[in-house]
Amino acid sequence: MELWSIKDIDVEKKRVLIRCDFNVPKDEFGNITDDRRIRAALPTIRYCLDRDCKIILASHFGRPKPGEWNEDRDSLKPVAKRLHSLLKQDIIMANNVVGDDTMELAKNLKEGEILLLENLRYNPGETANDSEFAARLASMADVYINDAFGASHRKHASIFALPEHFPVGKKAAGFLMQKEVNFFDKMVKHPVRPFVAVVGGSKVSGKLQALINLVEKVDKLVIGGGMAFTFLKALGYEVGNSLVEDDLIEDAIKIMDRAKEKGVKFYLPVDVVVAPKFAEDTTVKYLPIQEIPCDWMGLDVGPATNRLFREALNDAQTILWNGPMGVYEMDKFSKGSFMMSHYIAESHATTVVGGGDTADVVQRAGDVDEMTFISTGGGASLELLEGKLLPGVEAVLKSRA
Ligand code: AMP
């Protein structure tokens, strides 16, 4: 899967529109709490600065409904401030997305200047993949660069309709986008073996297609989190009030049968942390999965499972992790996820982490620097694992031209 790279095209002194993913978390006071996505866009921005480009940055932020305009909640102004402090240069902040005044600002940009458009989703054309909106965005620039991996699974105007307005040689992927796609593509197609996938999170339904795809590629599949209970129930265990998707029991059986057929080693929790209710102040018990009381629920994997999973990771050369092992947001149920983070971090394997919650666990566990690669896109990385061609990838794919 080869993408047009920003290095393949001539950007020198050009007016370049870079679609970034600046959709970063903020606290209740409006402060950015994690600027990884902003920092991840810097290599592409700096590359353009070094080539005296006139730079137009575009991103969505949050989920304003089409036409809804909530300045405090969804404006990109805090991002402009953070960019200013990271790049140590002024950022021209537009008041809107494609208004006449913004078009004028884009037209008058000088070499080395940066204009940040307002939240793309303020314009209803963005989520509608509207070609008129895309045409207006396109008219601002000579070159289009997609560096918004985290948004590339969405068929939105700035991702899909916009690059249609640029011929081959005038559109490409930025460095972040290339890195993300290359990591997942290489890992899934040519992993150094043994290749272990650790999948957790809440439900099977959210990751069913990824599991079906992964079972064909991996040597070992380790399942934790809420989704484990659908598999355990499928094996005949009493799982009490734990999260179970009864309608997916058939699929769970199919995945386990396929693993057996392919010789893929399949690991499920052997013990769990159970509680009578979903609350921080509840009583908890550590029990083997055979002993889950009928009105309690499993909210984390237990200590025996941690040891088992560690053993399973021992000889891994490639590890993919997507989804926490328990309700890590509550202290009492966070240990399984933190232990998993430490085990993966300590391993000598190539380690790739996907999914916003999983990246959050790794950050809280203090293991960020030990991982080979942490994806900036939850939904997008999952769709790559499902084997899908993302709209944003398709638009800058070499073989498509
Ligand atoms: P996902 O978005 O599917 O990766 O799921 C992440 C969420 O799964 C986190 O918010 C966890 O709190 C939740 N989760 C993990 N384990 C469990 C569990 N045993 N029961 C309920 N929710 C869980």
Side-chain angles (χ1 to χ4, degrees):
M1 191 146 59
E2 215 183 329
L3 308 184
W4 288 109
S5 161
I6 186 168
K7 285 189 166 176
D8 294 329
I9 60 177
D10 177 18
V11 295
E12 193 83 36
K13 297 191 189 331
K14 299 275 190 303
R15 208 176 296 274
V16 181
L17 188 148
I18 311 175
R19 173 43 160 116
C20 299
D21 178 6
F22 292 146
N23 189 26
V24 289
K26 284 196 303 188
D27 64 17
E28 66 265 43
F29 309 108
N31 301 308
I32 294 169
T33 51
D34 177 2
D35 66 358
R36 248 175 356 112
R37 283 182 165 169
I38 303 177
R39 283 183 284 115
L42 296 182
T44 301
I45 299 173
R46 288 208 171 101
Y47 180 89
C48 292
L49 283 172
D50 288 347
R51 279 151 192 80
D52 298 322
C53 298
K54 301 159 188 168
I55 301 169
I56 301 155
L57 302 177
S59 173
H60 72 287
F61 192 93
R63 288 171 186 259
K65 294 193 189 79
E68 187 190 21
W69 191 294
N70 183 330
E71 177 97 16
D72 289 340
R73 195 187 60 198
D74 304 317
S75 170
L76 279 171
K77 281 180 186 140
V79 172
K81 274 197 192 154
R82 184 60 58 99
L83 277 169
H84 168 74
S85 62
L86 289 169
L87 288 166
K88 297 185 180 51
Q89 91 163 59
D90 286 340
I91 307 292
I92 306 167
M93 183 71 220
N95 283 324
N96 48 49
V97 191
V98 287
D100 289 341
D101 47 344
T102 299
M103 303 301 281
E104 208 48 34
L105 285 174
K107 201 167 108 192
N108 295 330
L109 273 182
K110 297 192 183 67
E111 289 168 13
E113 283 186 341
I114 300 177
L115 168 68
L116 174 61
L117 305 184
E118 250 308 357
N119 188 350
L120 288 166
R121 288 196 190 166
Y122 278 159
N123 190 302
E126 170 64 358
T127 47
N129 193 33
D130 179 62
S131 63
E132 260 174 55
F133 173 58
R136 206 156 156 87
L137 283 170
S139 69
M140 288 187 196
D142 312 311
V143 171
Y144 167 82
I145 301 294
N146 183 352
D147 214 17
F149 175 73
S152 283
H153 57 311
R154 304 198 187 281
K155 218 169 199 170
H156 289 176
S158 62
I159 299 288
F160 201 68
L162 178 55
E164 294 291 325
H165 292 269
F166 294 83
V168 170
K170 299 279 183 200
K171 57 183 166 187
F175 296 114
L176 173 65
M177 178 81 173
Q178 289 170 62
K179 197 165 151 190
E180 294 266 9
V181 172
N182 285 343
F183 255 105
F184 282 101
D185 197 46
K186 267 203 204 114
M187 187 184 58
V188 172
K189 289 192 185 141
H190 313 285
V192 182
R193 294 183 181 278
F195 174 20
V196 185
V198 180
V199 185
S202 54
K203 292 181 176 174
V204 179
S205 48
K207 293 178 187 160
L208 181 63
Q209 203 47 50
L211 287 170
I212 292 172
N213 198 32
L214 281 171
V215 79
E216 303 296 326
K217 325 262 182 198
V218 297
D219 300 291
K220 304 185 190 187
L221 194 51
V222 176
I223 306 281
M227 68 164 59
F229 296 101
T230 300
F231 287 92
L232 290 169
K233 186 161 182 190
L235 292 173
Y237 290 100
E238 166 61 61
V239 295
N241 285 340
S242 308
L243 195 66
V244 166
E245 289 167 287
D246 284 310
D247 52 331
L248 291 183
I249 287 191
E250 282 299 308
D251 294 278
I253 292 172
K254 274 190 205 148
I255 292 168
M256 288 188 282
D257 285 348
R258 184 65 186 146
K260 212 179 281 171
E261 257 170 53
K262 296 262 313 172
V264 171
K265 310 286 183 290
F266 194 86
Y267 298 83
L268 283 169
V270 291
D271 64 342
V272 280
V273 184
V274 290
K277 58 179 181 167
F278 191 80
E280 190 82 73
D281 60 354
T282 181
T283 43
V284 299
K285 284 186 189 172
Y286 292 70
L287 292 174
I289 46 158
Q290 290 82 351
E291 297 175 26
I292 302 176
C294 63
D295 47 358
W296 287 45
M297 58 182 106
L299 295 171
D300 193 11
V301 295
T305 304
N306 288 332
R307 285 198 293 279
L308 170 72
F309 286 179
R310 180 181 215 171
E311 290 296 321
L313 293 175
N314 241 344
D315 63 343
Q317 292 291 321
T318 307
I319 303 174
L320 164 74
W321 183 22
N322 188 310
M325 298 290 101
V327 181
Y328 75 97
E329 298 92 334
M330 294 188 198
D331 278 347
K332 277 189 175 150
F333 311 112
S334 64
K335 191 138 191 206
S337 301
F338 286 169
M339 297 293 264
M340 178 56 79
S341 176
H342 297 331
Y343 297 155
I344 295 177
E346 281 165 14
S347 79
H348 296 287
T350 299
T351 53
V352 178
V353 177
D357 283 322
T358 324
D360 191 29
V361 171
V362 173
Q363 178 146 8
R364 293 196 200 187
D367 293 325
V368 169
D369 294 338
E370 312 305 324
M371 301 296 181
T372 312
F373 184 64
I374 301 178
S375 175
T376 57
S381 67
L382 201 59
E383 290 199 16
L384 280 185
L385 293 177
E386 290 170 2
K388 287 190 188 148
L389 178 59
L390 311 186
V393 171
E394 186 185 342
V396 290
L397 205 57
K398 272 194 177 166
S399 56
R400 189 183 185 228

